[in-house]
Amino acid sequence: MERNLVQPLAAAVLSAAISIRSYRKKSLDFSGALSGFAVMTIHIAVNYRFAAVLLGFFVTSSMLTKVGEDKKKKVDADFKEGGQRNWIQVLANSGIATVLVLIAWTQVGTQDFCLNSKESRLMTYLAGGILGHYCCSNGDTWSSELGVLSDDQPRLITNFKPVQKGTNGGVTRAGLVAAAAAGSVLGITMVILGFMTTNCTFDVAMKQLLLIPVSALSGLCGSVIDSLLGATLQYSGFCSVRKKVVSKGGPTVKRISGLSILDNNAVNFVSVLLTTVLTSVACSYIF
């Protein structure tokens, strides 16, 4: 079998196995499993490091979603066992990065590379954007999943007034720390694998260590942007019947914050887009 066919075939087999298992574990619904298969196959077939960052986000976020489910049921009006993310949620959290991965493939194929603007500013933009994309998604998920379990009182990010747990735009210290940690985990993943898969000069290779603090800031920045959008453009209200924060108004719902302009998937998409751009530009100047 030709060598250039091995990686895409291995990508398809591994992606199918992960998607099927995720569907059975209820991390993804059927549409999410199909779209997840396509996204993972593209990442693995093009670049192992990009795939590792994607899987780092997916695996850790899926695990944390299942932590404290009994407590989350009491707070989350849209709670689903295991998470059961659909195709819209999958693409909102991976679609932009998948496009960037495909652009990278048109430039260098499956060859891995260090971030080095002197050699290629475009590839540095792309790699930084892909990393920033998943740091944002991971940071938002860790922040939400761990923040709701903490004993900290959530405060609305726009005015710092105390709000109910589950309010869009509500932040906690634990959640913000979790967001930074989520980003740094992906940065560490990219750096360690890069030492094994790239061939760069010593000084350029050592400079890649800066990806770790950049990733931490991307995770934190993504979570903050998501919270700002959630507090202003996404509706939150408290339902006196269900005793939960809901995303739609009604006769038994008292408004807490936000306008009914964006839903949760749109908030995720916009925050990911902005963080991707910011991280991409930052990397082009740092590396």
Side-chain angles (χ1 to χ4, degrees), residues 117-178:
S117 292
K118 292 181 180 178
E119 184 173 317
S120 176
R121 186 169 292 273
L122 173 60
M123 298 312 298
T124 301
Y125 272 126
L126 293 173
I130 293 164
L131 180 60
H133 179 294
Y134 288 119
C135 287
C136 174
S137 296
N138 212 34
D140 176 47
T141 304
W142 281 38
S143 178
S144 299
E145 299 296 343
L146 294 179
V148 74
L149 297 177
S150 75
D151 294 327
D152 290 353
Q153 171 65 56
R155 293 182 178 274
L156 197 65
I157 195 169
T158 50
N159 57 23
F160 299 107
K161 291 182 179 180
V163 290
Q164 296 277 349
K165 286 189 175 183
T167 299
N168 296 307
V171 297
T172 63
R173 287 173 295 179
L176 294 175
V177 170

Side-chain angles (χ1 to χ4, degrees), residues 24-102:
R24 289 176 175 173
K25 293 288 185 179
K26 297 183 178 181
S27 295
L28 300 171
D29 69 7
F30 185 71
S31 68
L34 288 177
S35 54
F37 166 77
V39 167
M40 282 187 281
T41 299
I42 291 170
H43 280 65
I44 299 171
V46 171
N47 187 293
Y48 291 133
R49 266 206 302 170
F50 296 159
V53 172
L54 165 63
L55 291 174
F57 154 59
F58 177 67
V59 171
T60 59
S61 294
S62 296
M63 289 173 61
L64 289 180
T65 297
K66 296 178 181 180
V67 174
E69 285 192 330
D70 290 340
K71 190 172 183 179
K72 291 172 183 175
K73 281 181 185 179
K74 301 175 182 178
V75 177
D76 189 355
D78 299 317
F79 176 83
K80 293 180 181 179
E81 183 183 353
Q84 299 183 45
R85 293 173 174 83
N86 59 30
W87 71 272
I88 298 175
Q89 292 168 301
V90 169
L91 294 184
N93 286 285
S94 64
I96 296 172
T98 303
V99 172
L100 298 182
V101 168
L102 289 172

